[in-house]
Amino acid sequence: MAFRPEELALDAPPVIFEDAGHSSGNTHTTPAKATWRPLYRHECAFGPPVFDSVMDNLIRNPNINSTWLFRADILHDAQDGPANPATPADEADSLAFVADIPSFVGFELQRHVIRKLIPRNTLRDKPLDQTCLIYKSNPGGEAVERTLVIYLPHVSTPSDMPFYHPVVKGIAFVHEWTPAESCGSISLSYLFFDEQDRTVDKLIRTAFQLLMVIHKHGKGRVQGYQKRVHHDVLLPQARVQDTYTKLKQKHARSLIKGWAEQTDPEKHIFEDICIAAFMIELWRDMYGEGPFPGFVDVGCGNGLLVHILNQEGFSGWGFDARSRTSWASYSTRVRSLSGEEQDSLRELVLLPTYVSRGGSGDGFDEQKAHDGVFPKGTFIISNHADELTPWTPILAAVSDCPFISIPCCSHDLSGKLFRASPPKDKTKADSTYSSFVGWVSEIAAECGWEVEQEMLRIPSTRNAAIVGRKRTGDVSSVDIPALVHKYGGTAGYFDAVVRLMKQPPSTHEHEANDTGPSVGKKSKGKKPKQKQQKAG
């Protein structure tokens, strides 16, 4: 069923009626006999349980309806009526705004929610408190079951309404269902500040979109849709987003102004600020008020993530095969826990100790290579590090270091592009990216890591984060050379490192992360040939 709603006439009779003679408080939030004007109606094939589930999800996740919003913080959620008098003081003002709950003819209140809508940019838009009320039709053997959901923003005048919310006193969603015929409808009504607003195009378009989202989600539930991507598994959404907002307000403007690369500044800056926010909150959970062990970003690219984390007081460094123009601005001197000072951004090629050095070593410079062994406890970051991605959990195990790996392009341990076998978990997608994430996760598990995964809220489709911060066993029980051999071996890695060292720096000045061995061999406009390899 395509979404083609019936647009109701300006003089269409209301779908719901307030009962002016009954309310749950001394004053009413809306005028007596307030008229809720219907705008759209659409048939639906989902019953009350599905509608209830969809609306609960939309109440908790308003960002589904508006990209201007981060989330909703639930201030109050109670069944059967208004707030408990013992509500904490920090919620008192919000609860007082709607001290009285409107009654509707033929409905009984079932649930009372107050949420705070949190915008992405709090410098532009203020948060908004909003009451959400869920009603059910009075029991009594009616042929039609009705559910009513009301949104009441906590504003008194149109000028107080933030940009991201329709300029109306209230929004009503009505679901009607005939069990005997297994069919129903959904409709949307507004409570206007001014009756003339009924013809405002923006309000009409917004009503269309709001009803369309409910129809889409309800239809998907009936067809058996199951969400595959789950966010906020390791950390609460609110904490990461609040830290992101602080970092963005503190750093974004100056970083954009001073951007020295040829790439899009906003995409890269906002993405790295998102990752930095996640790292900071993860480290707060891991280390609390204790000493921070430091971090290393392998394949650090332009060095922005290292720079932001250092600016926020988390000491660490990063390396890449080629320096970037940005390094002149981002590189500083940092001190390790041992007291040693070093540059925060360094030009090095990763050559793990488990890579065979067979072949010609002509042109190899030991001073430009790093063996991938780090001080115990150093947190390893591997952010879109390409060829280094599958090595990350191995290096972390060898040095007994926790890690995070955010995979991008699919490379094997030799540095060559390849296509991993589809995930064994059939609930996962079988895309190239999902297959690669699953393959790296398998390596991590065999290295003795308790593998955790988070889908980061970053402006990239390559947003899976593999985290190893707890071990399932001692690393001495892991046969690393055998594991490397099982997952394809390292043939060709050393020769690629030598070729990379021979190439002039100018060819890599503005490349992406270049630490891995096969950098510089990709041709523009031509898709590299990938080899199929089974993950053991």
Side-chain angles (χ1 to χ4, degrees), residues 44-61:
C44 70
F46 50 88
V50 171
F51 178 77
D52 293 348
S53 176
V54 168
M55 294 308 298
D56 180 74
N57 187 44
L58 294 176
I59 287 172
R60 296 182 182 279
N61 299 282

Side-chain angles (χ1 to χ4, degrees), residues 199-375:
T199 59
V200 175
D201 286 342
K202 182 180 178 181
L203 291 177
I204 295 172
R205 290 196 306 271
T206 301
F208 181 95
Q209 292 294 327
L210 291 174
L211 198 64
M212 181 179 68
V213 169
I214 295 173
H215 181 266
K216 174 185 174 181
H217 283 236
K219 179 181 177 182
R221 301 284 178 90
V222 170
Q223 293 176 343
Y225 168 79
Q226 292 184 341
K227 187 175 181 180
R228 283 184 171 178
V229 177
H230 297 279
H231 295 282
D232 316 312
V233 176
L234 303 185
L235 296 169
Q237 177 185 7
R239 275 176 51 192
V240 177
Q241 288 184 338
D242 287 347
T243 298
Y244 167 79
T245 299
K246 293 175 184 176
L247 295 180
K248 181 180 175 183
Q249 293 174 356
K250 182 177 179 181
H251 299 290
R253 186 181 297 273
S254 61
L255 289 173
I256 292 174
K257 185 177 180 180
W259 189 249
E261 303 294 338
Q262 301 299 314
T263 48
D264 175 21
E266 292 192 8
K267 192 269 183 189
H268 290 275
I269 289 170
F270 293 144
E271 181 172 321
D272 280 0
I273 289 176
C274 285
I275 295 171
F278 181 84
M279 297 309 311
I280 289 171
E281 291 304 319
L282 183 69
W283 290 338
R284 282 176 179 161
D285 277 1
M286 292 177 65
Y287 307 115
E289 298 300 322
F292 179 66
F295 72 87
V296 58
D297 185 351
V298 298
C300 64
N302 58 38
L304 177 57
L305 181 59
V306 174
H307 172 70
I308 295 171
L309 292 172
N310 280 329
Q311 289 289 301
E312 290 303 307
F314 296 90
S315 182
W317 66 289
F319 66 93
D320 212 298
R322 293 287 183 261
S323 64
R324 303 298 198 280
T325 306
S326 300
W327 287 18
S329 301
Y330 297 158
S331 186
T332 58
R333 297 290 288 176
V334 293
R335 188 183 298 274
S336 66
L337 288 179
S338 64
E340 179 187 359
E341 270 201 0
Q342 65 178 22
D343 290 334
S344 63
L345 300 172
R346 300 168 64 187
E347 190 172 302
L348 294 167
V349 178
L350 182 72
L351 182 60
T353 56
Y354 296 96
V355 172
S356 170
R357 298 197 178 192
S360 173
D362 182 30
F364 175 73
D365 185 349
E366 194 76 48
Q367 299 301 314
K368 293 182 180 180
H370 194 287
D371 61 6
V373 178
F374 307 103

Side-chain angles (χ1 to χ4, degrees), residues 321 349-350 385-388 409-418 492-500 503 508 511 513-523 528:
V349 178
L350 182 72
D386 290 348
E387 295 91 343
L388 306 193
C409 299
S410 181
H411 294 80
D412 62 16
L413 291 171
S414 71
K416 299 181 180 68
L417 284 163
F418 90 122
Y493 190 107
F494 179 71
D495 290 340
V497 166
V498 173
R499 287 195 300 271
L500 180 59
Q503 291 175 2
H508 296 278
E511 293 274 347
N513 297 359
D514 294 347
T515 313
S518 67
V519 173
K521 298 190 295 181
K522 299 177 188 177
S523 60

Side-chain angles (χ1 to χ4, degrees), residues 398-417:
V398 171
S399 297
D400 197 7
C401 297
F403 74 91
I404 183 171
S405 176
I406 307 172
C408 186
C409 299
S410 181
H411 294 80
D412 62 16
L413 291 171
S414 71
K416 299 181 180 68
L417 284 163

Side-chain angles (χ1 to χ4, degrees), residues 32 67 69-70 98 131 179 229 254 274 286 291 344 429 484 495 527-528 535:
T67 57
L69 293 171
F70 255 154
V98 188
T131 291
V229 177
S254 61
C274 285
M286 292 177 65
S344 63
V484 171
D495 290 340
K527 186 176 180 180

